[in-house]
Amino acid sequence: MKGRIPLARRNLTADRRRLLASVTGVGLAVMLILLLDGMWAGIKNQTRLYTDKAGADLYVLQPGLRDLHDGGVIPVVDVDQIRATAGVDWAEGVRGSHIILELHGTKLGPYLVGSNPGSPGGAWSISDGRTVRADDEIVLDSVMANRHGIRVGDQIDVMDTSFKVVGLSSDTSGFMTSYVFTTHAATDRLFAASGTTSYVLVGASDAIAVRDRLQTAGFNTLTADEVAASAEDVASGIFSGPLRLMVIVAFAAGTLIIALTAYTAIVERRREYGIVKALGAQRIRLVGMAVTQTLIFALLGLLSGVLLFLGGRKVIVAARPQFDIAFSSGAFGRAAAAALAMALIAAIVPARRLAKLDPATAYRGS
Amino acid sequence: MAHVLPRSTRRRVPLARRALFQDRRRAALAAGGVAAALLLVLLLDGIVAGGMRQVTAYLRSTPADVIVSQEGVKTMHMSVSSLPAGVVEEVRAVNGVAWAEGLHFASTSIASSQGRELSYVFGYDPGGRLGPRRLAEGRAPAAGEALVDGVAADRIGVGVGDAVIVFGEPFTISGLFDDGTSMINTTTFITAADYVRLRGPSVAYVFAGAEPGTPDDALVERIASTLPSATVQTRDRFVREEAAIVGDMAADLMQIMSIVGFLIALAVIGLTLFTLTLSKLREHAVMKALGSRNRGVGAVVLTQAVWSVGIALALATVLAILIGGLVGRADPSLLVTIEASSVLRAGIGALVVGALGSIVPLRRVFRVDPATAFRRAS
């Protein structure tokens, strides 16, 4: 009989409960890597939310600023000048600012958008109720509202000013912040900032030509893509460090679990491996067995990780709908590469143990 | 039955510990696996705690006892506050107020040709009390000048004497200061006069110091009765409100990461104890044959769980502190603060996980037949 006995595989599958615990552990580490990857992709998607949905081709910002969250101030009179520029189909001043809402003892930091009723810039999708018409009305993100049991018709306080909730918006929730909408005039009063706006949304069929004209006229004009890219840069600066750190730790956990399981399996069967060595198996074959075992773990861990991720994502999104957790072939590729790297690093300890194994072990009692 | 052995030799053999550490490599891998899982929880907790310290750093550094803000505004981060300029004089006139200064504030970005940073911009009186605690280089700003945090200045490639764009206008950097950059944004100081020129006269907050012998709470009440349409808080209360923003906004993320971290720890502890129990079944049978009850053999498994969790927690704590230090050096804006309360929470969670991980091995040792001890090993 010439066929090789799959020692590595048989050794691993000898104890199924242990295998299950190990694969679950590695799977959880892979799942965490996928979750963090997915959350990061979701954060990036959400940074584009306003520019993707508001329908503007161009944004006029205060000189020197590049982001809607930069707290710009533009005189309202500029809006008329922008509107009168050749090629501009429409232009609307919008006030945007983060605010702190306190609901049920919890602080939330939504982004408050103040726009003129019936004009672009306000809530883009209403799931319940209607958009704002009066200055004491507000539309809340439906995810945020549902979580705090707020319904259409309720009153809420924003900076000690009472607003009636007239609508709930969908597709307006973000990773840590959501969008809420009121009238521009309401924000004028809230922020004691009448006569100004934060930025100007511009619709133009020939956006590039209009941008050039506005810039020539002295307006700091960016395309929607430029504003979105800038927002993504800011988010990257805030979140990429912590997320990267978490991925490294998850990777270390996965590697240690694979190493622990492969090492334990090898130590428990050292007598059998001693026999293999006594029968003439070379060091490279034994090392190969260790690597094969860790690779099998990594593969099973990867598969279970993907399943755990898909299940976990459903649970998380159902419980916390503000989390947009994306999954892509790129994310799978990165997780697979991580699992492969875990397997190779994890093989070091068991491989060293096998390489140093004394063939005489085979003849000693267990 | 009377003991025939002298008292000194009747000590208990630490079976649990010896079995656990018999193979040190395995013990190290197991401790490392659980520690990595706990490290996840500790680090994330540390990042949130660090974030809280960072967002409150400026407030904690001011000598104020009481802070006044717009009605309904209790915080600075992600907040907008606007008070009439005359309110500073009104606060100053309140009985028990030793000093009061207005602070102009907006959240915006500063930029150079090499980069851009989100920034709080403070308009302040450079001769007053509301500037940065410590200058690293240069001097306080004059008209047309700005004080920039050193970390942010490095990132956007500027230094003292260079230009930085604030509110769309070029300012010359007069000095650099420390501890003004967090993972979210940095801090920039310009003169109140420049701020008013660019953003109008309203102040965002009024900081006030109490005269000696005037309790902070009493001063809050007095100022609040003078300014009924403003929010008046002690500085400590303001700091707590500010920290709560970070804590509340990160709570959901913390919950998810903690659950995943503890599940990984559970898998590793379960795996370690199960493997160890299986490999020592014969020894457990010997214990039973010698009269040990299920309680005794169960105690061995539980002791191993406690050891596993304890070592992993200690390792995770040390690693978290080390990693926090390294991260802080690599990226000074990311502060990782490992607090005793975090370690305690992680420890309690890990003990629960250890107890859960012991269930299967415990069932196994309870079912061990003492006769196994007298059978030949296969």
Side-chain angles (χ1 to χ4, degrees), chain B residues 53-65 67 99 103 122 129-134 177-180 187 189 207 235-236 239:
Chain B
R53 287 188 70 84
Q54 286 176 323
V55 299
T56 58
Y58 172 72
L59 293 166
R60 285 184 286 110
S61 76
T62 65
D65 299 301
I67 300 174
W99 60 270
L103 184 74
F122 292 131
R129 300 170 177 83
L130 302 183
R133 192 165 38 184
R134 174 170 88 242
F177 64 96
D178 293 330
D179 302 329
T187 315
F189 289 84
F207 288 68
R235 188 193 65 166
D236 293 346
V239 166

Side-chain angles (χ1 to χ4, degrees), chain B residues 76-95:
Chain B
M76 184 177 274
H77 186 64
M78 300 175 88
S79 307
V80 178
S81 174
S82 182
L83 295 163
V87 82
V88 181
E89 283 307 324
E90 288 184 67
V91 174
R92 252 179 221 143
V94 172
N95 183 29

